[in-house]
Amino acid sequence: MCLVEQPGGLIVTKRFGFRKVIQDIMRKSTLLLIMFLGYLWFVEGNVANWQNYPGKLTRVAVGPKGVWGVNRGHDIYKRTANYWEKVGGALKDISVGKDSVWGVNKNDDIYMRTGAGGWQHIPGKLMQVSVSGFHDSVVWGVDSRQKIYRRKGNTWEGVGGALIVVSSGEAG
């Protein structure tokens, strides 16, 4: 998986390869993250200076609130300048918004975190959740039956269709 942060937002792609493609991306971007076999590699600015963060993650999320990830043991980590800082709690999926971080645990319980505060339990059950990096009020999710939901105020509204993964963007 390749995550590319650009001034207008984040591009996610599953395929990458040639150095020229990476160089073209970096001309327009500030940060490039590549997860390969659970290891996270990143480059900022100079394509020749790839760095590896120690540790292994199963999910990584990038947004204005930072770079966050979870590992196979459902431990939560936040990127710092040189390492991954362990954050209290346990999640299997994570999403980063403008001023919030959302996630779900192994029981499909939903949690949200804002500021330096702790995790707040959100009513409902989802196996995957996604918050927009532009508006923290734009949150979508999928439950274990692959039903799609979007957050409306303080409740979840069902949306027709079925998905395994959903992603929130600027438009909602």
Side-chain angles (χ1 to χ4, degrees):
M1 173 172 47
C2 177
L3 303 172
V4 182
E5 182 183 11
Q6 294 186 330
L10 185 68
I11 296 172
V12 179
T13 179
K14 291 187 176 186
R15 293 189 149 178
F16 59 92
F18 299 103
R19 185 179 177 100
K20 182 181 181 328
V21 172
I22 301 292
Q23 289 171 335
D24 288 345
I25 290 170
M26 290 307 295
R27 269 192 226 107
K28 303 172 191 165
S29 306
T30 56
L31 172 68
L32 176 65
L33 296 170
I34 296 175
M35 190 187 318
F36 180 71
L37 299 176
Y39 295 99
L40 186 70
W41 294 84
F42 78 98
V43 63
E44 293 182 272
N46 187 347
V47 177
N49 293 330
W50 285 94
Q51 296 179 33
N52 175 251
Y53 272 112
K56 213 170 177 185
L57 300 171
T58 56
R59 297 277 194 270
V60 175
V62 180
K65 187 76 173 159
V67 180
W68 292 65
V70 295
N71 65 12
R72 282 192 340 206
H74 300 177
D75 298 315
I76 306 165
Y77 294 89
K78 180 181 180 189
R79 175 188 162 191
T80 67
N82 299 310
Y83 65 96
W84 289 100
E85 175 186 342
K86 189 171 182 182
V87 177
L91 298 173
K92 67 177 182 179
D93 187 52
I94 196 159
S95 181
V96 180
K98 183 175 180 183
D99 292 310
S100 66
V101 179
W102 287 69
V104 294
N105 69 10
K106 67 180 181 180
N107 299 318
D108 293 345
D109 297 319
I110 308 160
Y111 290 90
M112 179 197 57
R113 179 186 185 114
T114 57
W119 295 102
Q120 174 187 353
H121 180 257
I122 304 295
K125 294 277 191 181
L126 296 173
M127 69 174 188
Q128 188 261 331
V129 66
S130 178
V131 59
S132 170
F134 294 94
H135 304 286
D136 288 310
S137 62
V138 178
V139 184
W140 289 73
V142 178
D143 71 9
S144 60
R145 296 169 296 159
Q146 299 179 353
K147 291 189 177 185
I148 307 163
Y149 295 89
R150 71 175 163 204
R151 190 93 171 138
K152 292 280 256 191
N154 290 325
T155 62
W156 294 100
E157 174 183 75
V159 177
L163 290 172
I164 297 171
V165 174
V166 67
S167 181
S168 297
E170 182 176 4

mmCIF file of all heavy atoms in Angstrom, residues 85-128:
data_model
loop_
_atom_site.group_PDB
_atom_site.id
_atom_site.type_symbol
_atom_site.label_atom_id
_atom_site.label_comp_id
_atom_site.label_asym_id
_atom_site.label_seq_id
_atom_site.Cartn_x
_atom_site.Cartn_y
_atom_site.Cartn_z
ATOM 1 N N GLU A 85 5.319 6.062 19.142
ATOM 2 C CA GLU A 85 4.953 6.209 20.549
ATOM 3 C C GLU A 85 3.704 5.383 20.815
ATOM 4 O O GLU A 85 2.687 5.546 20.155
ATOM 5 C CB GLU A 85 4.663 7.683 20.847
ATOM 6 C CG GLU A 85 4.168 7.939 22.249
ATOM 7 C CD GLU A 85 3.766 9.396 22.447
ATOM 8 O OE1 GLU A 85 4.167 10.268 21.652
ATOM 9 O OE2 GLU A 85 3.035 9.654 23.409
ATOM 10 N N LYS A 86 3.801 4.478 21.791
ATOM 11 C CA LYS A 86 2.646 3.642 22.121
ATOM 12 C C LYS A 86 1.597 4.484 22.840
ATOM 13 O O LYS A 86 1.906 5.258 23.739
ATOM 14 C CB LYS A 86 3.058 2.460 22.990
ATOM 15 C CG LYS A 86 1.955 1.455 23.175
ATOM 16 C CD LYS A 86 2.449 0.196 23.854
ATOM 17 C CE LYS A 86 1.313 -0.790 23.965
ATOM 18 N NZ LYS A 86 1.749 -2.000 24.659
ATOM 19 N N VAL A 87 0.339 4.319 22.417
ATOM 20 C CA VAL A 87 -0.791 5.048 22.977
ATOM 21 C C VAL A 87 -1.705 4.034 23.650
ATOM 22 O O VAL A 87 -1.907 2.932 23.120
ATOM 23 C CB VAL A 87 -1.560 5.799 21.859
ATOM 24 C CG1 VAL A 87 -2.778 6.491 22.406
ATOM 25 C CG2 VAL A 87 -0.639 6.790 21.159
ATOM 26 N N GLY A 88 -2.252 4.367 24.794
ATOM 27 C CA GLY A 88 -3.141 3.457 25.502
ATOM 28 C C GLY A 88 -4.353 3.063 24.684
ATOM 29 O O GLY A 88 -4.829 3.815 23.838
ATOM 30 N N GLY A 89 -4.874 1.862 24.939
ATOM 31 C CA GLY A 89 -6.042 1.356 24.238
ATOM 32 C C GLY A 89 -5.684 0.168 23.365
ATOM 33 O O GLY A 89 -4.530 -0.254 23.297
ATOM 34 N N ALA A 90 -6.701 -0.379 22.697
ATOM 35 C CA ALA A 90 -6.510 -1.517 21.799
ATOM 36 C C ALA A 90 -7.496 -1.394 20.642
ATOM 37 O O ALA A 90 -8.712 -1.347 20.872
ATOM 38 C CB ALA A 90 -6.723 -2.829 22.543
ATOM 39 N N LEU A 91 -6.977 -1.323 19.424
ATOM 40 C CA LEU A 91 -7.818 -1.199 18.229
ATOM 41 C C LEU A 91 -7.319 -2.139 17.141
ATOM 42 O O LEU A 91 -6.127 -2.400 17.046
ATOM 43 C CB LEU A 91 -7.781 0.232 17.681
ATOM 44 C CG LEU A 91 -8.305 1.349 18.572
ATOM 45 C CD1 LEU A 91 -8.039 2.703 17.930
ATOM 46 C CD2 LEU A 91 -9.787 1.170 18.851
ATOM 47 N N LYS A 92 -8.245 -2.598 16.294
ATOM 48 C CA LYS A 92 -7.854 -3.399 15.130
ATOM 49 C C LYS A 92 -7.845 -2.566 13.856
ATOM 50 O O LYS A 92 -7.244 -2.949 12.860
ATOM 51 C CB LYS A 92 -8.781 -4.604 14.959
ATOM 52 C CG LYS A 92 -10.206 -4.237 14.577
ATOM 53 C CD LYS A 92 -11.051 -5.475 14.354
ATOM 54 C CE LYS A 92 -12.467 -5.096 13.917
ATOM 55 N NZ LYS A 92 -13.282 -6.274 13.679
ATOM 56 N N ASP A 93 -8.541 -1.420 13.865
ATOM 57 C CA ASP A 93 -8.589 -0.527 12.713
ATOM 58 C C ASP A 93 -8.523 0.903 13.222
ATOM 59 O O ASP A 93 -9.004 1.195 14.330
ATOM 60 C CB ASP A 93 -9.883 -0.748 11.919
ATOM 61 C CG ASP A 93 -9.907 0.034 10.622
ATOM 62 O OD1 ASP A 93 -8.939 -0.078 9.843
ATOM 63 O OD2 ASP A 93 -10.876 0.773 10.380
ATOM 64 N N ILE A 94 -7.934 1.798 12.420
ATOM 65 C CA ILE A 94 -7.740 3.175 12.867
ATOM 66 C C ILE A 94 -7.886 4.120 11.683
ATOM 67 O O ILE A 94 -7.574 3.756 10.550
ATOM 68 C CB ILE A 94 -6.364 3.324 13.558
ATOM 69 C CG1 ILE A 94 -6.290 4.611 14.357
ATOM 70 C CG2 ILE A 94 -5.238 3.166 12.568
ATOM 71 C CD1 ILE A 94 -5.218 4.599 15.426
ATOM 72 N N SER A 95 -8.380 5.337 11.950
ATOM 73 C CA SER A 95 -8.546 6.363 10.923
ATOM 74 C C SER A 95 -8.255 7.722 11.552
ATOM 75 O O SER A 95 -8.657 7.994 12.684
ATOM 76 C CB SER A 95 -9.972 6.326 10.370
ATOM 77 O OG SER A 95 -10.154 7.290 9.366
ATOM 78 N N VAL A 96 -7.575 8.587 10.801
ATOM 79 C CA VAL A 96 -7.154 9.876 11.331
ATOM 80 C C VAL A 96 -7.890 11.001 10.613
ATOM 81 O O VAL A 96 -7.899 11.065 9.387
ATOM 82 C CB VAL A 96 -5.630 10.066 11.160
ATOM 83 C CG1 VAL A 96 -5.190 11.404 11.714
ATOM 84 C CG2 VAL A 96 -4.884 8.932 11.843
ATOM 85 N N GLY A 97 -8.503 11.889 11.402
ATOM 86 C CA GLY A 97 -9.226 13.026 10.858
ATOM 87 C C GLY A 97 -8.474 14.323 11.042
ATOM 88 O O GLY A 97 -7.279 14.335 11.333
ATOM 89 N N LYS A 98 -9.209 15.407 10.897
ATOM 90 C CA LYS A 98 -8.607 16.738 11.036
ATOM 91 C C LYS A 98 -8.134 16.985 12.467
ATOM 92 O O LYS A 98 -7.010 17.386 12.696
ATOM 93 C CB LYS A 98 -9.614 17.799 10.615
ATOM 94 C CG LYS A 98 -9.057 19.198 10.647
ATOM 95 C CD LYS A 98 -10.057 20.194 10.118
ATOM 96 C CE LYS A 98 -9.448 21.595 10.162
ATOM 97 N NZ LYS A 98 -10.402 22.598 9.736
ATOM 98 N N ASP A 99 -9.020 16.750 13.427
ATOM 99 C CA ASP A 99 -8.685 16.931 14.843
ATOM 100 C C ASP A 99 -9.053 15.715 15.684
ATOM 101 O O ASP A 99 -9.164 15.824 16.901
ATOM 102 C CB ASP A 99 -9.403 18.164 15.401
ATOM 103 C CG ASP A 99 -8.877 19.454 14.796
ATOM 104 O OD1 ASP A 99 -7.640 19.624 14.791
ATOM 105 O OD2 ASP A 99 -9.688 20.268 14.329
ATOM 106 N N SER A 100 -9.298 14.581 15.052
ATOM 107 C CA SER A 100 -9.723 13.392 15.791
ATOM 108 C C SER A 100 -9.105 12.135 15.206
ATOM 109 O O SER A 100 -8.630 12.124 14.077
ATOM 110 C CB SER A 100 -11.254 13.269 15.763
ATOM 111 O OG SER A 100 -11.702 13.022 14.440
ATOM 112 N N VAL A 101 -9.117 11.085 16.010
ATOM 113 C CA VAL A 101 -8.696 9.755 15.581
ATOM 114 C C VAL A 101 -9.844 8.814 15.941
ATOM 115 O O VAL A 101 -10.369 8.864 17.054
ATOM 116 C CB VAL A 101 -7.393 9.316 16.289
ATOM 117 C CG1 VAL A 101 -6.988 7.921 15.845
ATOM 118 C CG2 VAL A 101 -6.279 10.314 16.038
ATOM 119 N N TRP A 102 -10.257 7.985 14.998
ATOM 120 C CA TRP A 102 -11.332 7.022 15.201
ATOM 121 C C TRP A 102 -10.784 5.618 15.046
ATOM 122 O O TRP A 102 -9.808 5.396 14.325
ATOM 123 C CB TRP A 102 -12.443 7.230 14.177
ATOM 124 C CG TRP A 102 -13.279 8.446 14.406
ATOM 125 C CD1 TRP A 102 -12.883 9.746 14.275
ATOM 126 C CD2 TRP A 102 -14.645 8.485 14.805
ATOM 127 N NE1 TRP A 102 -13.933 10.593 14.565
ATOM 128 C CE2 TRP A 102 -15.025 9.841 14.887
ATOM 129 C CE3 TRP A 102 -15.589 7.519 15.098
ATOM 130 C CZ2 TRP A 102 -16.305 10.236 15.250
ATOM 131 C CZ3 TRP A 102 -16.866 7.905 15.445
ATOM 132 C CH2 TRP A 102 -17.215 9.256 15.532
ATOM 133 N N GLY A 103 -11.423 4.654 15.695
ATOM 134 C CA GLY A 103 -11.004 3.274 15.535
ATOM 135 C C GLY A 103 -12.046 2.309 16.057
ATOM 136 O O GLY A 103 -13.025 2.711 16.695
ATOM 137 N N VAL A 104 -11.828 1.035 15.762
ATOM 138 C CA VAL A 104 -12.696 -0.030 16.268
ATOM 139 C C VAL A 104 -11.824 -1.114 16.885
ATOM 140 O O VAL A 104 -10.701 -1.354 16.429
ATOM 141 C CB VAL A 104 -13.607 -0.612 15.167
ATOM 142 C CG1 VAL A 104 -14.597 0.421 14.676
ATOM 143 C CG2 VAL A 104 -12.812 -1.159 14.005
ATOM 144 N N ASN A 105 -12.357 -1.766 17.921
ATOM 145 C CA ASN A 105 -11.593 -2.821 18.583
ATOM 146 C C ASN A 105 -12.018 -4.200 18.083
ATOM 147 O O ASN A 105 -12.847 -4.314 17.169
ATOM 148 C CB ASN A 105 -11.682 -2.692 20.114
ATOM 149 C CG ASN A 105 -13.073 -2.993 20.653
ATOM 150 O OD1 ASN A 105 -13.955 -3.482 19.956
ATOM 151 N ND2 ASN A 105 -13.267 -2.698 21.928
ATOM 152 N N LYS A 106 -11.464 -5.255 18.691
ATOM 153 C CA LYS A 106 -11.735 -6.623 18.240
ATOM 154 C C LYS A 106 -13.200 -7.018 18.411
ATOM 155 O O LYS A 106 -13.670 -7.943 17.766
ATOM 156 C CB LYS A 106 -10.828 -7.615 18.956
ATOM 157 C CG LYS A 106 -11.096 -7.734 20.446
ATOM 158 C CD LYS A 106 -10.165 -8.726 21.083
ATOM 159 C CE LYS A 106 -10.470 -8.827 22.559
ATOM 160 N NZ LYS A 106 -9.592 -9.784 23.221
ATOM 161 N N ASN A 107 -13.939 -6.313 19.265
ATOM 162 C CA ASN A 107 -15.369 -6.578 19.469
ATOM 163 C C ASN A 107 -16.244 -5.690 18.590
ATOM 164 O O ASN A 107 -17.454 -5.648 18.781
ATOM 165 C CB ASN A 107 -15.740 -6.375 20.939
ATOM 166 C CG ASN A 107 -14.980 -7.317 21.838
ATOM 167 O OD1 ASN A 107 -14.805 -8.489 21.532
ATOM 168 N ND2 ASN A 107 -14.487 -6.791 22.946
ATOM 169 N N ASP A 108 -15.630 -4.936 17.672
ATOM 170 C CA ASP A 108 -16.312 -3.994 16.776
ATOM 171 C C ASP A 108 -16.892 -2.789 17.513
ATOM 172 O O ASP A 108 -17.757 -2.089 16.983
ATOM 173 C CB ASP A 108 -17.404 -4.684 15.943
ATOM 174 C CG ASP A 108 -16.836 -5.670 14.935
ATOM 175 O OD1 ASP A 108 -15.611 -5.623 14.670
ATOM 176 O OD2 ASP A 108 -17.598 -6.486 14.392
ATOM 177 N N ASP A 109 -16.403 -2.528 18.726
ATOM 178 C CA ASP A 109 -16.789 -1.321 19.451
ATOM 179 C C ASP A 109 -16.063 -0.134 18.828
ATOM 180 O O ASP A 109 -14.905 -0.248 18.413
ATOM 181 C CB ASP A 109 -16.422 -1.421 20.934
ATOM 182 C CG ASP A 109 -17.170 -2.538 21.637
ATOM 183 O OD1 ASP A 109 -18.370 -2.701 21.369
ATOM 184 O OD2 ASP A 109 -16.537 -3.241 22.448
ATOM 185 N N ILE A 110 -16.724 1.018 18.770
ATOM 186 C CA ILE A 110 -16.203 2.202 18.104
ATOM 187 C C ILE A 110 -15.653 3.181 19.136
ATOM 188 O O ILE A 110 -16.288 3.420 20.171
ATOM 189 C CB ILE A 110 -17.321 2.891 17.296
ATOM 190 C CG1 ILE A 110 -18.015 1.881 16.380
ATOM 191 C CG2 ILE A 110 -16.766 4.077 16.502
ATOM 192 C CD1 ILE A 110 -19.386 2.329 15.917
ATOM 193 N N TYR A 111 -14.491 3.773 18.831
ATOM 194 C CA TYR A 111 -13.881 4.750 19.731
ATOM 195 C C TYR A 111 -13.405 5.966 18.946
ATOM 196 O O TYR A 111 -13.024 5.861 17.784
ATOM 197 C CB TYR A 111 -12.697 4.129 20.477
ATOM 198 C CG TYR A 111 -13.140 3.114 21.489
ATOM 199 C CD1 TYR A 111 -13.280 1.775 21.137
ATOM 200 C CD2 TYR A 111 -13.459 3.497 22.779
ATOM 201 C CE1 TYR A 111 -13.716 0.845 22.054
ATOM 202 C CE2 TYR A 111 -13.895 2.566 23.708
ATOM 203 C CZ TYR A 111 -14.027 1.239 23.338
ATOM 204 O OH TYR A 111 -14.465 0.325 24.252
ATOM 205 N N MET A 112 -13.424 7.120 19.628
ATOM 206 C CA MET A 112 -12.951 8.366 19.050
ATOM 207 C C MET A 112 -12.080 9.073 20.083
ATOM 208 O O MET A 112 -12.345 9.003 21.280
ATOM 209 C CB MET A 112 -14.116 9.273 18.675
ATOM 210 C CG MET A 112 -13.656 10.600 18.092
ATOM 211 S SD MET A 112 -14.906 11.899 18.059
ATOM 212 C CE MET A 112 -15.373 12.035 19.759
ATOM 213 N N ARG A 113 -11.075 9.781 19.588
ATOM 214 C CA ARG A 113 -10.163 10.514 20.465
ATOM 215 C C ARG A 113 -9.959 11.905 19.876
ATOM 216 O O ARG A 113 -9.694 12.036 18.679
ATOM 217 C CB ARG A 113 -8.837 9.771 20.530
ATOM 218 C CG ARG A 113 -7.785 10.400 21.372
ATOM 219 C CD ARG A 113 -6.489 9.616 21.219
ATOM 220 N NE ARG A 113 -5.485 10.120 22.101
ATOM 221 C CZ ARG A 113 -4.968 9.453 23.125
ATOM 222 N NH1 ARG A 113 -5.355 8.226 23.362
ATOM 223 N NH2 ARG A 113 -4.058 9.995 23.878
ATOM 224 N N THR A 114 -10.078 12.933 20.695
ATOM 225 C CA THR A 114 -9.801 14.297 20.252
ATOM 226 C C THR A 114 -8.783 14.919 21.202
ATOM 227 O O THR A 114 -8.736 14.572 22.388
ATOM 228 C CB THR A 114 -11.069 15.180 20.225
ATOM 229 O OG1 THR A 114 -11.644 15.190 21.524
ATOM 230 C CG2 THR A 114 -12.072 14.662 19.214
ATOM 231 N N GLY A 115 -7.980 15.838 20.690
ATOM 232 C CA GLY A 115 -6.999 16.509 21.531
ATOM 233 C C GLY A 115 -6.084 15.517 22.220
ATOM 234 O O GLY A 115 -5.753 14.477 21.698
ATOM 235 N N ALA A 116 -5.689 15.856 23.423
ATOM 236 C CA ALA A 116 -4.814 14.992 24.210
ATOM 237 C C ALA A 116 -5.619 14.075 25.128
ATOM 238 O O ALA A 116 -5.053 13.359 25.937
ATOM 239 C CB ALA A 116 -3.856 15.842 25.039
ATOM 240 N N GLY A 117 -6.936 14.104 24.990
ATOM 241 C CA GLY A 117 -7.793 13.287 25.837
ATOM 242 C C GLY A 117 -7.715 11.812 25.513
ATOM 243 O O GLY A 117 -7.023 11.384 24.591
ATOM 244 N N GLY A 118 -8.453 11.026 26.284
ATOM 245 C CA GLY A 118 -8.477 9.586 26.088
ATOM 246 C C GLY A 118 -9.512 9.176 25.051
ATOM 247 O O GLY A 118 -10.153 10.010 24.420
ATOM 248 N N TRP A 119 -9.675 7.883 24.906
ATOM 249 C CA TRP A 119 -10.627 7.323 23.952
ATOM 250 C C TRP A 119 -12.045 7.420 24.506
ATOM 251 O O TRP A 119 -12.288 7.078 25.655
ATOM 252 C CB TRP A 119 -10.283 5.871 23.642
ATOM 253 C CG TRP A 119 -8.969 5.733 22.941
ATOM 254 C CD1 TRP A 119 -7.780 5.356 23.497
ATOM 255 C CD2 TRP A 119 -8.713 5.984 21.562
ATOM 256 N NE1 TRP A 119 -6.797 5.368 22.549
ATOM 257 C CE2 TRP A 119 -7.340 5.738 21.343
ATOM 258 C CE3 TRP A 119 -9.500 6.394 20.490
ATOM 259 C CZ2 TRP A 119 -6.740 5.887 20.101
ATOM 260 C CZ3 TRP A 119 -8.904 6.538 19.245
ATOM 261 C CH2 TRP A 119 -7.547 6.285 19.058
ATOM 262 N N GLN A 120 -12.960 7.864 23.672
ATOM 263 C CA GLN A 120 -14.381 7.969 24.037
ATOM 264 C C GLN A 120 -15.143 6.895 23.275
ATOM 265 O O GLN A 120 -15.041 6.796 22.041
ATOM 266 C CB GLN A 120 -14.901 9.357 23.656
ATOM 267 C CG GLN A 120 -16.381 9.532 23.858
ATOM 268 C CD GLN A 120 -16.877 10.869 23.297
ATOM 269 O OE1 GLN A 120 -16.108 11.723 22.869
ATOM 270 N NE2 GLN A 120 -18.180 11.033 23.295
ATOM 271 N N HIS A 121 -15.925 6.076 23.986
ATOM 272 C CA HIS A 121 -16.726 5.037 23.340
ATOM 273 C C HIS A 121 -17.891 5.682 22.591
ATOM 274 O O HIS A 121 -18.588 6.544 23.118
ATOM 275 C CB HIS A 121 -17.261 4.045 24.376
ATOM 276 C CG HIS A 121 -18.089 2.968 23.763
ATOM 277 N ND1 HIS A 121 -19.450 2.977 23.826
ATOM 278 C CD2 HIS A 121 -17.731 1.871 23.060
ATOM 279 C CE1 HIS A 121 -19.916 1.911 23.184
ATOM 280 N NE2 HIS A 121 -18.895 1.227 22.714
ATOM 281 N N ILE A 122 -18.102 5.274 21.349
ATOM 282 C CA ILE A 122 -19.193 5.768 20.514
ATOM 283 C C ILE A 122 -20.185 4.617 20.337
ATOM 284 O O ILE A 122 -19.781 3.521 19.933
ATOM 285 C CB ILE A 122 -18.669 6.229 19.123
ATOM 286 C CG1 ILE A 122 -17.574 7.278 19.280
ATOM 287 C CG2 ILE A 122 -19.804 6.712 18.235
ATOM 288 C CD1 ILE A 122 -18.012 8.588 19.885
ATOM 289 N N PRO A 123 -21.469 4.831 20.628
ATOM 290 C CA PRO A 123 -22.442 3.743 20.462
ATOM 291 C C PRO A 123 -22.464 3.199 19.033
ATOM 292 O O PRO A 123 -22.301 3.951 18.066
ATOM 293 C CB PRO A 123 -23.778 4.405 20.807
ATOM 294 C CG PRO A 123 -23.416 5.586 21.649
ATOM 295 C CD PRO A 123 -22.085 6.053 21.143
ATOM 296 N N GLY A 124 -22.671 1.894 18.915
ATOM 297 C CA GLY A 124 -22.745 1.223 17.626
ATOM 298 C C GLY A 124 -21.675 0.148 17.517
ATOM 299 O O GLY A 124 -20.836 -0.012 18.401
ATOM 300 N N LYS A 125 -21.740 -0.608 16.425
ATOM 301 C CA LYS A 125 -20.773 -1.676 16.155
ATOM 302 C C LYS A 125 -20.338 -1.575 14.701
ATOM 303 O O LYS A 125 -21.174 -1.601 13.791
ATOM 304 C CB LYS A 125 -21.397 -3.058 16.385
ATOM 305 C CG LYS A 125 -21.762 -3.363 17.817
ATOM 306 C CD LYS A 125 -20.556 -3.845 18.568
ATOM 307 C CE LYS A 125 -20.966 -4.395 19.918
ATOM 308 N NZ LYS A 125 -19.812 -4.845 20.683
ATOM 309 N N LEU A 126 -19.043 -1.459 14.462
ATOM 310 C CA LEU A 126 -18.471 -1.420 13.119
ATOM 311 C C LEU A 126 -17.199 -2.252 13.099
ATOM 312 O O LEU A 126 -16.472 -2.295 14.084
ATOM 313 C CB LEU A 126 -18.132 0.009 12.691
ATOM 314 C CG LEU A 126 -19.280 1.001 12.534
ATOM 315 C CD1 LEU A 126 -18.737 2.407 12.286
ATOM 316 C CD2 LEU A 126 -20.208 0.579 11.402
ATOM 317 N N MET A 127 -16.914 -2.878 11.967
ATOM 318 C CA MET A 127 -15.632 -3.601 11.840
ATOM 319 C C MET A 127 -14.562 -2.706 11.239
ATOM 320 O O MET A 127 -13.373 -3.002 11.327
ATOM 321 C CB MET A 127 -15.799 -4.871 11.015
ATOM 322 C CG MET A 127 -16.070 -4.669 9.556
ATOM 323 S SD MET A 127 -16.063 -6.263 8.718
ATOM 324 C CE MET A 127 -16.157 -5.718 7.016
ATOM 325 N N GLN A 128 -14.981 -1.593 10.598
ATOM 326 C CA GLN A 128 -14.042 -0.663 9.988
ATOM 327 C C GLN A 128 -14.674 0.722 9.989
ATOM 328 O O GLN A 128 -15.885 0.858 9.809
ATOM 329 C CB GLN A 128 -13.738 -1.106 8.548
ATOM 330 C CG GLN A 128 -12.626 -0.345 7.863
ATOM 331 C CD GLN A 128 -13.145 0.758 6.933
ATOM 332 O OE1 GLN A 128 -14.230 0.671 6.378
ATOM 333 N NE2 GLN A 128 -12.352 1.797 6.768
#
